[in-house]
Amino acid sequence: MGAARSAVREGRTSWKKTAVVALPAVLAVGAMASVMAEGALAASFAVSGTSFQVSSGKLTSQGLSSYVQTDRDIDGKGHPVALLGIGDATLSDICQAAEVKTPVGTVVFKLTAGGDAGQVTASNLVIDGEDLEGDARFGTAEIGRDASTLDEVPGIKGEKGKFGLQAGDITVSGVKSHAWSATGGNFRLKGMKLDVSLGGEKCF
C-alpha cells in the first residue's frame, strides 16, 4: 500500500508550479493576440510575384508612419517598398486590381468597394507600396526621423538609424499606388464587389 501511495504521489501534477512556469508564456501569447487583433503588426508573409494596383478617390487618416523595407517572395527575391502605416483610415472608395496569368489567358482580379454604398474604413492599415501618387496634405509632418522612433501609428517602427517620416494627420486625393501587400486590423468594405475576368479593366 505504501508503494502504491508513493506512486500516486509521484504521478501527481503540481498545478501551482505549472501555473508559475506557464504564466509568462500565456501572457506573451495573449499580448501578441491583442496586438494582432488591433492590427498593430504588419503581416509577415511571402508576397506573391505580382504587385497590384490600389486606388481611392480620397483617403484621410489620424496618422501616418513610413519607412523603407524589403518584401520577399516565395523564391526569396527582394522587392524594395515604402511601408506606409496609416492609423484609422477612411476612404471614399477603394479599388484593388491584379493581373494573373492563367492557362486561358491573363485574368484581372478586381475588388471594389465604397462609392455610393458608403465609405470604406480600416484601422491600422499597412500598405507596402513601390510608389504613391495623389494630392496630399500632411499635418505636423516629421521627415527624416529615425525609423525606430516612429510613434504616430502603433507598432509601425523600422530599424535603428534608418530614414523614416510621419505625420499627425493626412488627406490624400486621387490615390494611386502599386503595392506588394496590404493588411488592415479591421476592414469594413461597404458595397464590396469582386470581379474576375479575361482582359478586364484595372483600377487605372
Side-chain angles (χ1 to χ4, degrees), residues 3 5 7 41 105 109 120 127 129 141 144 150 155 164 187:
R5 287 176 182 172
L41 294 180
F109 177 98
V120 174
I127 299 175
L150 299 176
F187 263 113

Side-chain angles (χ1 to χ4, degrees), residues 52-105:
F52 55 91
Q53 295 181 341
V54 180
S55 68
S56 177
K58 185 178 181 180
L59 180 153
T60 59
S61 170
Q62 296 296 320
L64 166 75
S65 294
S66 181
Y67 57 89
V68 175
Q69 72 166 20
T70 301
D71 284 354
R72 297 196 177 277
D73 59 31
I74 199 69
D75 295 323
K77 182 179 179 181
H79 305 279
V81 298
L83 184 145
L84 300 170
I86 303 170
D88 293 325
T90 300
L91 302 96
S92 61
D93 57 275
I94 191 169
C95 176
Q96 175 267 313
E99 287 186 336
V100 182
K101 293 182 179 180
T102 74
V104 296

Side-chain angles (χ1 to χ4, degrees), residues 38-192:
E38 293 174 2
L41 294 180
S44 179
F45 53 81
V47 299
S48 71
T50 305
S51 63
F52 55 91
Q53 295 181 341
V54 180
S55 68
S56 177
K58 185 178 181 180
L59 180 153
T60 59
S61 170
Q62 296 296 320
L64 166 75
S65 294
S66 181
Y67 57 89
V68 175
Q69 72 166 20
T70 301
D71 284 354
R72 297 196 177 277
D73 59 31
I74 199 69
D75 295 323
K77 182 179 179 181
H79 305 279
V81 298
L83 184 145
L84 300 170
I86 303 170
D88 293 325
T90 300
L91 302 96
S92 61
D93 57 275
I94 191 169
C95 176
Q96 175 267 313
E99 287 186 336
V100 182
K101 293 182 179 180
T102 74
V104 296
T106 300
V107 169
V108 173
F109 177 98
K110 185 176 181 180
L111 182 150
T112 58
D116 294 337
Q119 294 180 325
V120 174
T121 60
S123 61
N124 287 350
L125 177 63
V126 179
I127 299 175
D128 288 7
E130 58 184 24
D131 58 25
L132 176 66
E133 295 181 23
D135 297 322
R137 180 190 63 78
F138 294 91
T140 60
E142 298 177 345
I143 301 173
R145 179 165 172 161
D146 190 291
S148 68
T149 69
L150 299 176
D151 57 10
E152 277 294 343
V153 180
I156 304 300
K157 292 183 179 181
E159 296 180 17
K160 184 178 179 180
K162 299 296 184 181
F163 175 90
L165 65 86
Q166 66 179 19
D169 61 274
I170 63 168
T171 300
V172 185
S173 299
V175 179
K176 294 181 180 180
S177 177
H178 292 90
W180 286 96
S181 72
T183 60
N186 193 1
F187 263 113
R188 285 188 173 88
L189 303 176
K190 293 187 177 180
M192 186 187 79

